[in-house]
Structures are given as C-alpha cells and as structure tokens.
Amino acid sequence: MEKKFKIVIAADSFKGSASTIQVEDYIEQGILRLNRNVEIVKVPVADGGEGTVDALVIGCKGEYRYADVTGPMGDKVQAKFGIIKDNIAVVEMAEASGLTLVDLADNDVYRATTYGTGELIRAALDCGIKEIFIGVGGSATNDGGVGMAQALGVSFKDSEGNEIPFGAGKLGDIASIDDSGLDKRMHDVTFTILSDVTNPLCGENGASYIYGPQKGATPEDVRKLDRLLRHYGEKVEECLGIAVLEAPGAGAAGGLGAGLMAFCGAKSYSGISKVLSILEIESHFQDADLVITGEGRMDSQSLNGKAPVGIAQLAKKYHLPVIAVVGSSDDDLGPIYATGIDLVLDIINKPMDLDTAISQTEKLITNAGETAFRAFLLAKKVPISL
C-alpha cells in the first residue's frame, strides 16, 4: 500500500503579490496536481510584519475586530486587529500607521503619526483584553511612538506649555513629558512587541538612518530625524527615568519600539519565534514527512529572524527535510542552507520582468509546489505514478 505522506506548508507572504494564505494554497495545488494521496497541513505564518494578524487569527481560530482610526497622514482609515485565545489581542501597527496607507511620493515623514496605532490599542482595551501582541513592520512613521502615546493619554509639551502636533517634525520641541493621564487600563495589560528588528533608536544603525530612506527621507532628512529622535529619547530618560536610546529594538517602526517600551512597558521578542510558539507549529512536525516554507525574497536578510529560517530550525529538531519556495534568492545560499533549509526553489523559471512575474504568481508558485514535492519523492526514491 502506498504510504500517505504528511506535508506541513508554512510560508510567509510574497509581499506585493500573494498573502501567506494564498502562497500556501498555491503550493498545495501543485502538490495535489501530482498526488492526492497526501495529508497537507497549512499553517499561515508571519514574523511580526504584514499578515501577522491574519496568521494568528486563522491559526488560532480567533476573530477579527475593526476600528476607525487616524491614518499616518491624519485621515481616517479602518483598521483590523485580532482576538485569540479569549483575551489576547493581535495588533499590526501597519494597519493604522503603515506605509501602504500613503502614496510614497506624497509621504511626509515629518508629519506621519502613530496616533492611529494608539487608537487601535485603545480599541483592543475596550474589548477587555489583558495581553497585546503588536507587530511593528511596515511603518510610514518616524515619530518615536509619540502619536501612539498621545492617543493613550500621554502629554508632550513644548517650552510654552503647548501640546506638540503630530509627527516627528516637532520632537525637538519637547520640553516635558507627563504620563499621568495614561489610560489606567494600561497598567493591567502585558505588551509584547513582535519584531525581527534589533536597531537602537538613534545613530547610524538607528531608526532614521536604516529605515528613513524607505519612507522618502533624503540624506539631509535622515540626519535631522536622527537628531529629533535623540532629543526625544533623552527627554524620555530625563522625565520618566526609562533608557530607550540604546535599547535593542527601540528603533523598530520609526522608533515606535521605544514608545512601546517607555509607555506600555513592552518587551521585544523575535516575531517569528513568538508566532510559531503561539501557533504550536511543533505539534504538526512530530509526525510530518516534509516541511515546505517560503518567502518573497531569500537572501542575507532572511537570517535576521525571517519566517523560513525560524521554521527550518524548529523542523530540524524532528530531522525533517525543509524546502523553501521563494520569489527570488541570493547568489550565495550557503548561509541559508546552514540554517537547516535543504533546498531553495525560485519560482521564476525563465527570464521575465517583475510585472509579468507578479501577474503569474499563482501559476509560478503552483508549479514550484509540484517541483518541491517531486524533489522530495526523488530523494525518497518513491516512483511517481503517471
């Protein structure tokens, strides 16, 4: 009797072309096209960035909630968050303050605010939540989380006693910080930052220098934004006694990491490690035969807390083969293979431009899914029935 293989598919999204759910569906289609006598378990994953709410709500059979909040440029947007395991909320700051909510050509990094993220947290508090996981990828902001804190009741005044406006532009005017008006419910809530970012708040490896250009900041802007964040960080330490300037992860999401640490008592964790733990993915590995993972681009950045590497490292505890289906990959995959990924399959099978590849995403990933399963059967010396 032919053995029925169990395959775990746990792939991150291909940003801009397919969600984690779609990627996994396409890989499944490719496998089933070859052999339907398989058990397939799909586990949507994310590393704290785009798709984190979806991954945890679907994986934990949770529910979505929605709130109208202030977008990064001050306009109203509808943002979603998730509730899992009865009393845990999952929030993506990008839902309220993300770069996808603005036209990059029109983005004003000096004005962009995290106020809506604070409103989203407040909406979660309204649900009686006692624990909040917050993903901090994809921000449009560089305000150090000041807007978020203002939405939760913290006051930032200039030397004349006026509240500073939205955005990073006036961080240098902060003369005092008063957190006595902080929403009282915050004291009973545990905050966990889901992030693969360990950057400090300031300096050449800080929020402004590393991530500012992605948000439209020029080299001159970057230097100015760094000075503004440094003043803010110094004021946080002076007024609250909390050191955030050098804290690992404080530079995440334009300094939102620092704001979450200072005003929410948040601790930062590896996004993928925490997500995989919540999803209890190891329970699926115990009797699996193959793990297929993936992401849009696999390169040296994949080593810094990205989903496929985290999945591979857990899978190797059970001596499982791991195949990664990717949109594109680096020339040197040696460091990737050293993490436990056994085979990297690029979905591009002939020369094509990016727009063509995106338009053919479903077909390309489906074909790669079939190829991945063929490679597994070949290694197992299992003949493929025609």
Side-chain angles (χ1 to χ4, degrees), residues 292-313:
I292 301 178
T293 184
E295 64 180 338
R297 169 74 180 170
M298 183 160 282
D299 53 26
S300 60
Q301 292 300 311
S302 302
L303 302 172
N304 300 323
K306 297 297 185 182
V309 168
I311 290 162
Q313 290 171 338

PDB file of all heavy atoms in Angstrom, residues 292-313:
ATOM      1  N   ILE A 292       7.405  22.484   3.844  1.00  0.00           N
ATOM      2  CA  ILE A 292       7.623  23.444   2.759  1.00  0.00           C
ATOM      3  C   ILE A 292       7.350  24.834   3.312  1.00  0.00           C
ATOM      4  O   ILE A 292       6.262  25.107   3.842  1.00  0.00           O
ATOM      5  CB  ILE A 292       6.727  23.166   1.541  1.00  0.00           C
ATOM      6  CG1 ILE A 292       6.979  21.759   0.994  1.00  0.00           C
ATOM      7  CG2 ILE A 292       6.983  24.208   0.444  1.00  0.00           C
ATOM      8  CD1 ILE A 292       6.097  21.391  -0.201  1.00  0.00           C
ATOM      9  N   THR A 293       8.323  25.697   3.198  1.00  0.00           N
ATOM     10  CA  THR A 293       8.174  27.067   3.660  1.00  0.00           C
ATOM     11  C   THR A 293       8.433  28.000   2.475  1.00  0.00           C
ATOM     12  O   THR A 293       8.484  27.561   1.326  1.00  0.00           O
ATOM     13  CB  THR A 293       9.131  27.345   4.837  1.00  0.00           C
ATOM     14  OG1 THR A 293       8.888  28.671   5.340  1.00  0.00           O
ATOM     15  CG2 THR A 293      10.586  27.193   4.430  1.00  0.00           C
ATOM     16  N   GLY A 294       8.594  29.304   2.730  1.00  0.00           N
ATOM     17  CA  GLY A 294       8.874  30.220   1.633  1.00  0.00           C
ATOM     18  C   GLY A 294       8.706  31.671   2.011  1.00  0.00           C
ATOM     19  O   GLY A 294       8.178  32.009   3.073  1.00  0.00           O
ATOM     20  N   GLU A 295       9.170  32.540   1.119  1.00  0.00           N
ATOM     21  CA  GLU A 295       9.017  33.986   1.250  1.00  0.00           C
ATOM     22  C   GLU A 295       9.331  34.617  -0.098  1.00  0.00           C
ATOM     23  O   GLU A 295       9.833  33.961  -1.011  1.00  0.00           O
ATOM     24  CB  GLU A 295       9.932  34.545   2.335  1.00  0.00           C
ATOM     25  CG  GLU A 295      11.419  34.386   2.045  1.00  0.00           C
ATOM     26  CD  GLU A 295      12.287  34.963   3.153  1.00  0.00           C
ATOM     27  OE1 GLU A 295      11.798  35.822   3.906  1.00  0.00           O
ATOM     28  OE2 GLU A 295      13.461  34.572   3.247  1.00  0.00           O
ATOM     29  N   GLY A 296       9.032  35.904  -0.211  1.00  0.00           N
ATOM     30  CA  GLY A 296       9.204  36.567  -1.485  1.00  0.00           C
ATOM     31  C   GLY A 296      10.650  36.674  -1.939  1.00  0.00           C
ATOM     32  O   GLY A 296      10.957  36.485  -3.117  1.00  0.00           O
ATOM     33  N   ARG A 297      11.539  36.981  -1.006  1.00  0.00           N
ATOM     34  CA  ARG A 297      12.956  37.152  -1.341  1.00  0.00           C
ATOM     35  C   ARG A 297      13.788  36.489  -0.271  1.00  0.00           C
ATOM     36  O   ARG A 297      13.642  36.783   0.910  1.00  0.00           O
ATOM     37  CB  ARG A 297      13.303  38.642  -1.426  1.00  0.00           C
ATOM     38  CG  ARG A 297      14.799  38.967  -1.510  1.00  0.00           C
ATOM     39  CD  ARG A 297      15.382  38.664  -2.843  1.00  0.00           C
ATOM     40  NE  ARG A 297      16.830  38.978  -2.896  1.00  0.00           N
ATOM     41  CZ  ARG A 297      17.624  38.625  -3.889  1.00  0.00           C
ATOM     42  NH1 ARG A 297      17.159  37.950  -4.920  1.00  0.00           N
ATOM     43  NH2 ARG A 297      18.904  38.941  -3.860  1.00  0.00           N
ATOM     44  N   MET A 298      14.656  35.567  -0.658  1.00  0.00           N
ATOM     45  CA  MET A 298      15.530  34.884   0.299  1.00  0.00           C
ATOM     46  C   MET A 298      16.960  35.334   0.069  1.00  0.00           C
ATOM     47  O   MET A 298      17.540  35.099  -0.984  1.00  0.00           O
ATOM     48  CB  MET A 298      15.403  33.373   0.167  1.00  0.00           C
ATOM     49  CG  MET A 298      16.237  32.597   1.177  1.00  0.00           C
ATOM     50  SD  MET A 298      15.659  30.883   1.394  1.00  0.00           S
ATOM     51  CE  MET A 298      14.239  31.146   2.464  1.00  0.00           C
ATOM     52  N   ASP A 299      17.514  36.015   1.074  1.00  0.00           N
ATOM     53  CA  ASP A 299      18.892  36.496   0.989  1.00  0.00           C
ATOM     54  C   ASP A 299      19.438  36.623   2.405  1.00  0.00           C
ATOM     55  O   ASP A 299      18.895  36.023   3.346  1.00  0.00           O
ATOM     56  CB  ASP A 299      18.963  37.829   0.234  1.00  0.00           C
ATOM     57  CG  ASP A 299      18.020  38.881   0.804  1.00  0.00           C
ATOM     58  OD1 ASP A 299      17.685  38.809   2.006  1.00  0.00           O
ATOM     59  OD2 ASP A 299      17.606  39.784   0.054  1.00  0.00           O
ATOM     60  N   SER A 300      20.487  37.401   2.575  1.00  0.00           N
ATOM     61  CA  SER A 300      21.114  37.514   3.895  1.00  0.00           C
ATOM     62  C   SER A 300      20.148  38.058   4.946  1.00  0.00           C
ATOM     63  O   SER A 300      20.275  37.750   6.137  1.00  0.00           O
ATOM     64  CB  SER A 300      22.351  38.415   3.805  1.00  0.00           C
ATOM     65  OG  SER A 300      21.998  39.714   3.350  1.00  0.00           O
ATOM     66  N   GLN A 301      19.174  38.879   4.521  1.00  0.00           N
ATOM     67  CA  GLN A 301      18.196  39.405   5.472  1.00  0.00           C
ATOM     68  C   GLN A 301      17.329  38.293   6.063  1.00  0.00           C
ATOM     69  O   GLN A 301      16.769  38.451   7.146  1.00  0.00           O
ATOM     70  CB  GLN A 301      17.316  40.458   4.787  1.00  0.00           C
ATOM     71  CG  GLN A 301      18.044  41.726   4.401  1.00  0.00           C
ATOM     72  CD  GLN A 301      18.643  42.434   5.600  1.00  0.00           C
ATOM     73  OE1 GLN A 301      17.986  42.649   6.608  1.00  0.00           O
ATOM     74  NE2 GLN A 301      19.924  42.779   5.507  1.00  0.00           N
ATOM     75  N   SER A 302      17.218  37.191   5.356  1.00  0.00           N
ATOM     76  CA  SER A 302      16.405  36.076   5.840  1.00  0.00           C
ATOM     77  C   SER A 302      16.978  35.476   7.116  1.00  0.00           C
ATOM     78  O   SER A 302      16.267  34.801   7.864  1.00  0.00           O
ATOM     79  CB  SER A 302      16.299  34.991   4.767  1.00  0.00           C
ATOM     80  OG  SER A 302      15.738  35.503   3.579  1.00  0.00           O
ATOM     81  N   LEU A 303      18.253  35.717   7.349  1.00  0.00           N
ATOM     82  CA  LEU A 303      18.902  35.175   8.542  1.00  0.00           C
ATOM     83  C   LEU A 303      18.519  35.947   9.796  1.00  0.00           C
ATOM     84  O   LEU A 303      18.734  35.472  10.912  1.00  0.00           O
ATOM     85  CB  LEU A 303      20.428  35.215   8.367  1.00  0.00           C
ATOM     86  CG  LEU A 303      20.998  34.464   7.163  1.00  0.00           C
ATOM     87  CD1 LEU A 303      22.487  34.746   7.016  1.00  0.00           C
ATOM     88  CD2 LEU A 303      20.748  32.964   7.302  1.00  0.00           C
ATOM     89  N   ASN A 304      17.952  37.143   9.617  1.00  0.00           N
ATOM     90  CA  ASN A 304      17.645  38.016  10.753  1.00  0.00           C
ATOM     91  C   ASN A 304      16.198  37.873  11.195  1.00  0.00           C
ATOM     92  O   ASN A 304      15.413  38.817  11.145  1.00  0.00           O
ATOM     93  CB  ASN A 304      17.945  39.475  10.378  1.00  0.00           C
ATOM     94  CG  ASN A 304      19.393  39.687  10.010  1.00  0.00           C
ATOM     95  OD1 ASN A 304      20.276  39.087  10.611  1.00  0.00           O
ATOM     96  ND2 ASN A 304      19.645  40.544   9.031  1.00  0.00           N
ATOM     97  N   GLY A 305      15.824  36.668  11.612  1.00  0.00           N
ATOM     98  CA  GLY A 305      14.501  36.476  12.200  1.00  0.00           C
ATOM     99  C   GLY A 305      13.366  36.335  11.219  1.00  0.00           C
ATOM    100  O   GLY A 305      12.205  36.556  11.592  1.00  0.00           O
ATOM    101  N   LYS A 306      13.647  35.990   9.959  1.00  0.00           N
ATOM    102  CA  LYS A 306      12.570  35.813   8.991  1.00  0.00           C
ATOM    103  C   LYS A 306      11.932  34.435   9.156  1.00  0.00           C
ATOM    104  O   LYS A 306      12.524  33.490   9.681  1.00  0.00           O
ATOM    105  CB  LYS A 306      13.089  35.993   7.569  1.00  0.00           C
ATOM    106  CG  LYS A 306      13.618  37.402   7.283  1.00  0.00           C
ATOM    107  CD  LYS A 306      12.533  38.452   7.405  1.00  0.00           C
ATOM    108  CE  LYS A 306      13.042  39.835   7.001  1.00  0.00           C
ATOM    109  NZ  LYS A 306      12.006  40.878   7.160  1.00  0.00           N
ATOM    110  N   ALA A 307      10.702  34.313   8.661  1.00  0.00           N
ATOM    111  CA  ALA A 307       9.901  33.118   8.906  1.00  0.00           C
ATOM    112  C   ALA A 307      10.552  31.809   8.441  1.00  0.00           C
ATOM    113  O   ALA A 307      10.608  30.842   9.221  1.00  0.00           O
ATOM    114  CB  ALA A 307       8.524  33.289   8.265  1.00  0.00           C
ATOM    115  N   PRO A 308      11.028  31.692   7.192  1.00  0.00           N
ATOM    116  CA  PRO A 308      11.534  30.392   6.739  1.00  0.00           C
ATOM    117  C   PRO A 308      12.659  29.830   7.598  1.00  0.00           C
ATOM    118  O   PRO A 308      12.704  28.627   7.866  1.00  0.00           O
ATOM    119  CB  PRO A 308      12.008  30.683   5.311  1.00  0.00           C
ATOM    120  CG  PRO A 308      11.173  31.832   4.870  1.00  0.00           C
ATOM    121  CD  PRO A 308      11.045  32.687   6.098  1.00  0.00           C
ATOM    122  N   VAL A 309      13.568  30.690   8.034  1.00  0.00           N
ATOM    123  CA  VAL A 309      14.690  30.219   8.851  1.00  0.00           C
ATOM    124  C   VAL A 309      14.191  29.739  10.212  1.00  0.00           C
ATOM    125  O   VAL A 309      14.609  28.691  10.717  1.00  0.00           O
ATOM    126  CB  VAL A 309      15.752  31.321   9.001  1.00  0.00           C
ATOM    127  CG1 VAL A 309      16.768  30.950  10.077  1.00  0.00           C
ATOM    128  CG2 VAL A 309      16.459  31.550   7.663  1.00  0.00           C
ATOM    129  N   GLY A 310      13.276  30.488  10.814  1.00  0.00           N
ATOM    130  CA  GLY A 310      12.716  30.065  12.091  1.00  0.00           C
ATOM    131  C   GLY A 310      12.002  28.729  11.984  1.00  0.00           C
ATOM    132  O   GLY A 310      12.114  27.866  12.872  1.00  0.00           O
ATOM    133  N   ILE A 311      11.272  28.550  10.903  1.00  0.00           N
ATOM    134  CA  ILE A 311      10.552  27.291  10.669  1.00  0.00           C
ATOM    135  C   ILE A 311      11.539  26.149  10.466  1.00  0.00           C
ATOM    136  O   ILE A 311      11.379  25.058  11.028  1.00  0.00           O
ATOM    137  CB  ILE A 311       9.622  27.449   9.449  1.00  0.00           C
ATOM    138  CG1 ILE A 311       8.465  28.384   9.804  1.00  0.00           C
ATOM    139  CG2 ILE A 311       9.095  26.094   8.978  1.00  0.00           C
ATOM    140  CD1 ILE A 311       7.747  28.949   8.618  1.00  0.00           C
ATOM    141  N   ALA A 312      12.570  26.392   9.672  1.00  0.00           N
ATOM    142  CA  ALA A 312      13.560  25.348   9.394  1.00  0.00           C
ATOM    143  C   ALA A 312      14.271  24.900  10.664  1.00  0.00           C
ATOM    144  O   ALA A 312      14.505  23.703  10.882  1.00  0.00           O
ATOM    145  CB  ALA A 312      14.575  25.847   8.375  1.00  0.00           C
ATOM    146  N   GLN A 313      14.602  25.844  11.507  1.00  0.00           N
ATOM    147  CA  GLN A 313      15.315  25.495  12.733  1.00  0.00           C
ATOM    148  C   GLN A 313      14.456  24.628  13.650  1.00  0.00           C
ATOM    149  O   GLN A 313      14.961  23.698  14.285  1.00  0.00           O
ATOM    150  CB  GLN A 313      15.766  26.777  13.448  1.00  0.00           C
ATOM    151  CG  GLN A 313      16.881  27.494  12.689  1.00  0.00           C
ATOM    152  CD  GLN A 313      17.215  28.853  13.240  1.00  0.00           C
ATOM    153  OE1 GLN A 313      16.408  29.483  13.920  1.00  0.00           O
ATOM    154  NE2 GLN A 313      18.409  29.334  12.946  1.00  0.00           N
TER     155      GLN A 313
END
